């Protein structure tokens, strides 16, 4: 007697369905995730807030500040993605295993992060040179303008807007990269290519995740950059003070935003694998596409 074929994975899950799945995974082992947040992600907020309120600008403090946040972020990424991927399948994960995954995946995650930064920096440099060349060509061929002119300011705005669109597009395509590094033990450029293949068909959902959760994560990082800026003039000092009022709380909540961003990205990645039929022979939970509840599909053959 042949076994009944399983129901096909849904192809139109939305943010509500993803949220339901994330809540299920976190509630199933809430203490485990609380420990991860306490060990790796919560300490990130301490230097973010401390150096904003007390901007100590020495070589040692800058070095500690620059190294602490990326190291803790990558360790938190490894442990969270590993734990969520196991929780997705309904498996209990030991804290020791999660800690081990954090350290074993650190250098692969670091290599992938460096590749993404090199690509984005290269695109930013090329785009900047293109706009600067356009500005110089305008000076020579059309009319004389200086760096305080409205034309130069418009070119700078066009450069920033263009770069933002490119970065958002890349972030959507690379949304699964870090989860792929942890779960599939790949590194460097390969997770980026793999993510680009898996995100096909669900870019709308991925864009919403990048737009909402990614925005708050970047706000926390951006707030940390203010400590390197020297205010000049009363107007700038007032503006910088106003920005700090907004971004210091964002820095405080940055670990939680980062945690939920990692959970959502990993859950979305696991469901994308299911949609692409990569869970043959495994026990897997999938998202339902009717009412946002979680449907469990067992023993896919």
């Amino acid at each position: 007697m042949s076994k009944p074929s399983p129901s096909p994975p849904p192809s139109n899950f939305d943010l509500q369905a993803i949220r339901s799945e994330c809540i299920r995974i976190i509630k199933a082992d809430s203490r485990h995730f609380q420990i991860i947040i306490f060990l790796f992600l919560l300490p990130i907020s301490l230097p973010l807030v401390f150096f904003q309120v007390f901007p100590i600008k020495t070589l040692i403090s800058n070095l500690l500040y620059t190294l602490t946040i990326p190291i803790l972020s990558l360790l938190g990424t490894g442990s969270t993605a590993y734990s969520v991927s196991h929780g997705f399948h309904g498996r209990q994960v030991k804290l020791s295993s999660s800690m081990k995954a954090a350290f074993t995946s650190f250098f692969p995650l670091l290599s992938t992060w460096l590749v993404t930064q090199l690509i984005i920096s290269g695109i930013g440099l090329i785009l900047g040179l293109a706009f600067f060349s356009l500005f110089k060509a305008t000076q020579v061929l059309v009319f004389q303008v200086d760096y305080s002119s409205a034309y130069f300011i418009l070119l700078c705005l066009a450069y920033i807007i263009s770069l933002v669109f490119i970065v958002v597009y890349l972030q959507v395509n690379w949304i699964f990269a870090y989860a792929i590094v942890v779960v599939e033990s790949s590194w460097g450029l390969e997770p980026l290519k793999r993510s680009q293949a898996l995100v096909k068909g669900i870019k709308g959902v991925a864009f919403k995740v990048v737009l909402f959760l990614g925005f708050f994560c970047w706000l926390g990082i951006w707030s940390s950059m203010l400590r390197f800026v020297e205010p000049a003039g009363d107007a700038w000092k007032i503006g910088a003070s106003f920005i700090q009022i907004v971004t210091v709380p964002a820095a405080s909540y940055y670990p939680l935003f980062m945690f939920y961003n990692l959970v959502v990205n990993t859950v979305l990645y696991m469901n994308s694998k299911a949609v692409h039929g990569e869970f043959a022979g495994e026990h897997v939970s999938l998202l339902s596409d009717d009412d946002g509840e979680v449907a469990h599909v067992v023993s896919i053959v």
Side-chain angles (χ1 to χ4, degrees):
M1 182 177 178
S2 60
K3 296 181 180 180
S5 59
S7 301
S11 58
N12 59 339
F13 47 85
D14 55 15
L15 288 178
Q16 181 59 35
I18 296 169
R19 177 178 174 274
S20 300
E21 179 73 355
C22 292
I23 292 175
R24 178 188 72 81
I25 293 173
I26 294 173
K27 283 186 175 181
D29 203 354
S30 59
R31 182 172 297 180
H32 177 85
F33 289 109
Q34 288 172 1
I35 294 174
I36 290 177
I37 294 173
F38 179 79
L39 289 178
F40 294 132
L41 302 181
L42 186 61
I44 295 176
S45 66
L46 299 181
L48 283 174
V49 175
F50 180 82
F51 286 115
Q52 274 292 359
V53 179
F54 306 101
I56 303 173
K57 296 184 179 180
T58 63
L59 178 61
I60 296 178
S61 67
N62 286 337
L63 183 62
L64 290 175
Y65 181 83
T66 304
L67 293 178
T68 299
I69 295 176
I71 291 174
L72 290 175
S73 297
L74 293 178
L75 291 173
T77 297
S79 59
T80 303
Y82 178 84
S83 301
V84 172
S85 65
H86 279 69
F88 179 85
H89 292 279
R91 304 168 186 159
Q92 290 290 329
V93 57
K94 294 181 179 180
L95 183 62
S96 58
S97 299
S98 183
M99 297 298 104
K100 181 180 178 180
F103 289 97
T104 55
S105 62
F106 176 80
F107 286 107
L109 284 170
L110 178 62
S111 68
T112 302
W113 179 79
L114 289 175
V115 169
T116 61
Q117 298 309 304
L118 286 174
I119 293 175
I120 293 175
S121 299
I123 292 174
L125 178 61
I126 294 172
L127 195 62
L129 290 175
F131 275 95
F132 185 74
S133 300
L134 178 61
F135 174 73
K136 285 297 184 181
T138 303
Q139 282 186 317
V140 174
L141 301 176
V142 184
F143 54 88
Q144 287 293 326
V145 290
D146 55 31
Y147 294 103
S148 62
S149 64
Y151 176 73
F152 180 75
I153 295 174
L154 287 175
L155 278 181
C156 291
L157 288 175
Y159 166 76
I160 294 173
I161 293 172
S162 301
L163 185 60
V164 167
F165 273 103
I166 293 173
V167 170
V168 170
Y169 174 80
L170 292 176
Q171 291 297 322
V172 170
N173 283 275
W174 297 344
I175 190 171
F176 303 143
Y178 295 136
I180 290 171
V181 171
V182 177
V183 178
E184 302 183 14
S185 301
S186 60
W187 58 279
L189 188 61
E190 186 59 33
L192 306 183
K193 296 179 180 178
R194 169 80 166 140
S195 177
Q196 190 172 6
L198 283 177
V199 82
K200 291 180 180 178
I202 58 169
K203 286 188 177 181
V205 179
F207 174 74
K208 293 176 183 178
V209 172
V210 171
L211 186 64
F212 292 109
L213 289 175
F215 169 76
F216 288 105
C217 289
W218 277 106
L219 187 62
I221 296 174
W222 180 53
S223 69
S224 68
M225 297 297 104
L226 291 177
R227 69 182 297 267
F228 297 105
V229 178
E230 291 286 350
D234 294 336
W236 171 252
K237 289 180 179 179
I238 294 173
S241 300
F242 174 76
I243 292 174
Q244 284 186 335
I245 292 174
V246 176
T247 54
V248 167
S252 303
Y253 288 104
Y254 171 74
L256 291 179
F257 286 127
M258 181 181 178
F259 171 73
Y260 285 112
N261 188 45
L262 291 170
V263 174
V264 170
N265 288 354
T266 306
V267 168
L268 188 59
Y269 156 70
M270 300 300 288
N271 280 277
S272 179
K273 288 182 66 177
V275 168
H276 287 80
E278 298 188 11
F279 282 133
E282 296 185 29
H283 170 81
V284 44
S285 62
L286 301 173
L287 300 176
S288 172
D289 59 340
D290 47 7
D291 58 359
E293 295 297 326
V294 179
H296 299 277
V297 180
V298 184
S299 299
I300 296 181
V301 179

